Amino acid sequence: MVLLLGVLHAYFGRRGIFSRLLEEHYQRLIAALPAGTQVLLGPPVSLLHVPESQQMDAIEAEIVSGKSAEDSSRKLESLLEGENLWVRARAAKILYRVNPRLALEELKGLANDASKEAQVSSMWALAELATPEAIDLLAPLAYSPARDIQQGAVRSLLQIQSRDPLPADVRTKLNALLSEVRSRTGLIF
């Protein structure tokens, strides 16, 4: 049994063979795209390899299990001060469970930042939250003059729409926004 677990971990663990192959495939995919193209699908695979990743995994597990929300909140708040935008977005996503106001403040700041990477990281986290407030923060990005940001925001909204079950208030708000975006931008989705 232990041997089986060791083999599975070697193949599918964070630094396992499968993870490395996925990272190599991702790099080949990026290299094949036209110059200047950005992939707006979610956090880069390399986010799994930053030192804060394991720390955030542990903090998220503590919060889900109901342990020391105050201590977890303090640790996440310190991660919001970092330079890595994806770490900040993920920390805000996790923080939402214990401090929604601060989490949304951080994600709003990232969404309003001039950097596309900041906007993309916020879109990912907001789509993961799938709350009415997240939809409100994604809405301006769906009208961005930058076509890739606009498309990323629409994909994030569609990702939220595909969730099942989705609370009725979220679904109603989302459907109205997507209808408006479709008519104002001419995007087909």
Side-chain angles (χ1 to χ4, degrees):
M1 181 68 162
V2 173
L3 180 62
L4 176 63
L5 289 175
V7 169
L8 289 174
H9 182 71
Y11 275 92
F12 299 106
R14 284 191 187 276
R15 291 180 178 80
I17 294 167
F18 183 75
S19 177
R20 286 194 307 260
L21 289 173
L22 185 60
E23 178 71 26
E24 290 170 12
H25 174 72
Y26 181 79
Q27 293 305 325
R28 284 192 306 273
L29 175 68
I30 297 301
L33 293 172
T37 302
Q38 286 197 347
V39 179
L40 303 175
L41 301 176
V45 176
S46 61
L47 180 61
L48 298 175
H49 304 295
V50 297
E52 298 90 351
S53 184
Q54 289 181 349
Q55 181 184 6
M56 286 188 290
D57 289 344
I59 293 169
E60 189 168 23
E62 286 175 5
I63 291 172
V64 169
S65 69
K67 295 179 185 171
S68 65
E70 187 176 306
D71 187 40
S72 299
S73 179
R74 200 170 31 259
K75 290 175 189 173
L76 289 168
E77 288 173 27
S78 71
L79 292 172
L80 297 179
E81 305 298 321
E83 290 185 27
N84 186 317
L85 300 169
W86 287 99
V87 168
R88 289 171 50 195
R90 181 164 180 228
K93 176 187 118 8
I94 298 167
L95 182 63
Y96 184 83
R97 290 178 183 237
V98 292
N99 190 342
R101 183 196 55 74
L102 182 58
L104 290 170
E105 250 177 52
E106 176 66 20
L107 292 172
K108 181 179 182 178
L110 290 171
N112 293 331
D113 194 284
S115 156
K116 284 186 180 181
E117 186 179 2
Q119 293 172 343
V120 170
S121 63
S122 73
M123 284 188 277
W124 167 77
L126 291 166
E128 291 288 311
L129 291 178
T131 63
E133 300 87 0
I135 294 169
D136 289 339
L137 293 174
L138 282 167
L141 294 172
Y143 300 109
S144 172
R147 192 76 166 169
D148 51 349
I149 295 297
Q150 182 184 60
Q151 290 172 345
V154 169
R155 275 195 294 273
S156 296
L157 292 167
L158 292 171
Q159 180 183 339
I160 294 170
Q161 187 183 43
S162 70
R163 289 197 174 191
D164 195 37
L166 194 61
D169 62 328
V170 174
R171 186 165 304 284
T172 302
K173 183 177 211 160
L174 186 56
N175 288 340
L177 175 60
L178 286 170
S179 178
E180 181 184 324
V181 168
R182 193 177 292 118
S183 67
R184 284 180 54 191
T185 64
L187 290 174
I188 299 170
F189 51 87

